[in-house]
Amino acid sequence: MTTKAYGAYAADKPLEALDIQRRTPGAHDVQIDIAYCGVCHSDVHTVRSEWPGTQYPCVPGHEIVGHVSAIGADVRSFKVGDTVGVGCLVGSCGHCSSCNDGLEQYCERGMIGTYNGPTADAPGHTLGGYSQRIVVRDDFVLRVTHAPEQLAAVAPLLCAGITTYSPLRHWNAGPGKKVGIVGIGGLGHMGVKLAHAMGARTVAFTTSDSKRAAAKGLGADMVVVSTNAAEMAQHAGSFDLIINTVSASHSLDTYTSLLRRDGTLVLVGGPEKPHPTPNYTALVMKRRAIAGSLIGGIAETQEMLDFCAAKGIVADIELIPAQQINAAYERMLTSDVKYRFVIDSATLAK
Ligand code: NAP
Ligand code: ZN
């Protein structure tokens, strides 16, 4: 089925309107009419080939919410009209040790991304949510139970939400823990909301003095401007966990030095150039760890959506028409968004 989309034909080309094809739903497929799609910094890294391996045309978008418009003959868990979401992955092998553990994002044979992943569908790689419609295997479709008027602000939970929720849960953020969130962008602002909701003492680290007041409103107990050495020094050796969402290369020593003994710095931000080698002494003297974390599995993504629905948590968004996507990228690159752009998919028809 012909579907209107926004995408790029090359790394140095802007995104433009294009027509793509979606497959007719197979027995286990769910066809979704997309209502909204969030704009993740990974979309920019991919479209511009800042990470290796982008295939063109590239249609990004992995923060998808919408309504089921058709189902395959063997789909039992969804019906036409259901409100659903699709995040960063649409497939995995289903029987390796990671898949068996419900950690499809770490599939030993490689998870299939919602965009730029391998597929039998033309053009041979998956095309994402900057489009009117998507067809996804039922196992990779999430249920959305937020109030209907919250739907646009639910979209960013599908990547920004789960990418911060998963490490917060894995490293036991909660009462009695001091948790830092570095970079108050799309991921970071969700990290602050979620760490606060889990009951952790939450500290936001930002390079933007203009976000100081706003980050408190997200639920941060304290906001630290990371370029202010005196402010940073007050927190030396005090954190159980720091989640680093920064999208650019920088010195990790700034944050490992803030960890207490056995504390962990978790990298989720994916810089295009490597971070400088971390200082050895800062790690060994307090048995500090640097770890990484990739999105979250399907079961955990559903758990996160249900947690957010129960607590009334959504993203803070700026809704845009698809035609403004290139300008939105430029603004995201200067940290000029509070805190996530979301595309109103109805504008794709224009
Ligand atoms: P974003 O909205 O652009 O937020 C990134 C934030 O990092 C900015 O708002 C800014 O916050 C800070 N920052 C940017 N450049 C900086 C620099 N040079 N030095 C220090 N701080 C800087 O991006 P996002 O969508 O949240 O994504 C963040 C990163 O996570 C991207 O690299 C993305 O690809 C990656 N990601 C990873 C996963 C995963 O599974 N691991 C999933 C999704 C995204 P302040 O203004 O507060 O300083
Ligand atoms: Zn993302």
Side-chain angles (χ1 to χ4, degrees):
M1 184 189 305
T2 302
T3 299
K4 292 193 182 304
Y6 249 76
Y9 286 102
D12 57 355
K13 293 276 188 306
L15 278 73
E16 59 184 281
L18 48 99
D19 285 342
I20 61 171
Q21 297 299 320
R22 293 300 190 191
R23 66 176 181 267
T24 304
H28 272 285
D29 280 338
V30 175
Q31 177 182 291
I32 300 160
D33 286 358
I34 300 174
Y36 303 102
C37 183
V39 178
C40 179
H41 207 119
S42 301
D43 302 352
V44 183
H45 291 309
T46 305
V47 157
R48 299 189 174 179
S49 283
E50 292 173 356
W51 295 336
T54 304
Q55 301 178 75
Y56 296 92
C58 175
V59 174
H62 57 206
E63 294 184 336
I64 298 167
V65 290
H67 300 96
V68 175
S69 53
I71 56 171
D74 294 338
V75 174
R76 298 284 170 266
S77 38
F78 298 98
K79 59 180 191 315
V80 170
D82 283 355
T83 307
V84 295
V86 176
C88 304
L89 63 163
V90 293
S92 69
C93 83
H95 37 75
C96 69
S97 61
S98 294
C99 288
N100 285 337
D101 288 344
L103 298 169
E104 300 88 354
Q105 74 275 33
Y106 303 118
C107 176
E108 312 297 326
R109 293 179 181 82
M111 62 99 155
I112 298 172
T114 303
Y115 58 81
N116 205 44
T119 176
D121 297 353
H125 58 274
T126 52
L127 303 170
Y130 296 5
S131 58
Q132 293 174 304
R133 202 172 290 116
I134 192 165
V135 178
V136 177
R137 201 185 147 84
D138 53 0
D139 298 343
F140 290 85
V141 178
L142 287 311
R143 194 167 288 286
V144 173
T145 58
H146 283 75
E149 63 274 16
Q150 293 178 305
L151 192 57
V154 169
L157 302 183
L158 275 306
C159 174
I162 184 59
T163 301
T164 47
Y165 182 89
S166 186
L168 287 168
R169 290 273 289 159
H170 185 77
W171 279 276
N172 301 311
K177 295 288 177 71
K178 186 174 176 185
V179 173
I181 306 288
V182 184
I184 309 306
L187 266 57
H189 97 288
M190 286 310 310
V192 170
K193 289 186 185 214
L194 292 167
H196 172 74
M198 289 174 188
R201 180 150 184 257
T202 305
V203 179
F205 292 95
T206 181
T207 56
S208 309
D209 202 32
S210 65
K211 292 182 187 169
R212 194 190 282 272
K216 278 235 162 132
L218 299 171
D221 295 292
M222 286 187 78
V223 183
V224 175
V225 174
S226 54
T227 47
N228 183 323
E231 252 185 273
M232 291 290 275
Q234 287 171 18
H235 294 271
S238 68
F239 281 86
D240 298 285
L241 173 66
I242 300 178
I243 311 281
N244 186 337
T245 78
V246 172
S247 49
S249 170
H250 61 283
S251 167
L252 301 180
D253 302 336
T254 315
Y255 298 104
T256 52
S257 62
L258 303 189
L259 296 171
R260 56 185 299 161
R261 196 200 73 228
D262 289 324
T264 304
L265 171 67
V266 181
L267 305 182
V268 294
E272 64 267 35
K273 286 192 286 292
H275 298 302
T277 305
N279 181 283
Y280 163 87
T281 310
L283 296 175
V284 299
M285 295 308 281
K286 288 189 186 289
R287 201 164 55 184
R288 292 158 166 155
I290 298 176
S293 184
L294 180 68
I295 50 173
I298 294 300
E300 193 175 46
T301 305
Q302 189 64 63
E303 177 190 302
M304 177 277 309
L305 284 170
D306 296 345
F307 175 88
C308 290
K311 302 223 176 226
I313 297 172
V314 292
D316 289 16
I317 65 159
E318 185 174 331
L319 196 63
I320 56 164
Q323 293 76 10
Q324 279 177 22
I325 187 65
N326 294 300
Y329 279 8
E330 293 310 318
R331 281 185 52 200
M332 180 159 55
L333 289 169
T334 56
S335 299
D336 175 26
V337 51
K338 287 197 173 67
Y339 288 88
R340 196 58 136 188
F341 290 112
V342 172
I343 296 171
D344 179 352
S345 309
T347 60
L348 285 160
K350 285 184 187 157

